[in-house]
Each structure stands twice: as C-alpha cells, then as structure tokens.
Amino acid sequence: MKKRYIDDDVRGQRSEHPDKIGEFNRKMILSFTKAAADKYHQLTSSQKAFIDRELDDLKFNQNSTINKKVNAELDQAIVFERNDHEIIVTDIIAQPTRDSQEYRRAQIRMDRQNH
C-alpha cells in the first residue's frame, strides 16, 4: 500500500468529543493514503465539515461491517478499511465544487459584497 498519513498530518490536531470522554479508544488510529490526503486538502470548508464529522465518528463506531460512509444529499463519501487498531481512509469522494460554475459565481458575488 502507498505511504499512509496519520490523522494529525492531514487534519491537524482534533478535539475529542466532549460528550464521549471515556468511550474513546486511544488505540484506534486514523490514517490516510496519499490519494485520500490530497483529496481532503482539496475540499472546501463546507465539504470538510461533513467529512470531519464522519471521520471523528469512525473512531467511536465499532461496527466493523461498514467500509463506506455516504452523504447522498451532499454527494460525498468516505471509503475506508478497518483492522484491529487502525482505520485507513483510502478515498474521499466529493464533487469538485471549486471547479463548478456556481462556485465561481458565488466567489464573484462575495467579492462584490465585500468591496
């Protein structure tokens, strides 16, 4: 497998869920393949909100039969593999909104409002 990046390398330091203190399994490591890390860095902040929430939930979820988290409304998905002490994010599927015409129009509107 390609080089893996740990959670702190990709997303920076993350705070623990304050409502689940004590349930967190510190032995569970979240790591990313290079392709998944690159895709994570290309997401917009609103896209990262869903992805971050789902990645944090993966650390708490003990269901080993699931290997994909999907948000059909946002057309986003996280594909991962799980072993005893590690969750490996292999792919992040999201529409490239920065390349869309709607995104460019929104940027123009925001620039006009701010000037």
Side-chain angles (χ1 to χ4, degrees), residues 59-105:
K59 293 179 181 179
F60 296 108
N61 190 352
Q62 300 301 320
N63 188 351
S64 61
T65 60
I66 298 173
N67 65 351
K68 188 176 190 179
K69 292 275 197 167
V70 177
N71 184 328
E73 184 178 332
L74 296 177
D75 202 16
Q76 293 179 340
I78 303 170
V79 181
F80 57 93
E81 299 171 2
R82 184 189 306 254
N83 61 31
D84 292 336
H85 300 292
E86 185 176 27
I87 298 170
I88 306 161
V89 178
T90 56
D91 196 11
I92 296 175
I93 301 165
Q95 294 297 325
T97 59
R98 291 181 178 171
D99 296 334
S100 70
Q101 188 67 17
E102 293 84 14
Y103 183 81
R104 283 187 227 119
R105 280 191 227 134

Side-chain angles (χ1 to χ4, degrees), residues 16-51:
E16 294 179 6
H17 285 261
D19 58 331
K20 296 192 178 188
I21 291 176
E23 296 177 34
F24 185 66
N25 183 357
R26 294 198 184 276
K27 295 179 183 176
M28 188 61 73
I29 298 169
L30 182 62
S31 61
F32 294 75
T33 61
K34 178 163 178 28
D38 291 343
K39 287 184 179 182
Y40 180 84
H41 290 298
Q42 293 172 2
L43 297 174
T44 63
S45 59
S46 60
Q47 289 175 316
K48 283 182 183 179
F50 162 74
I51 299 294

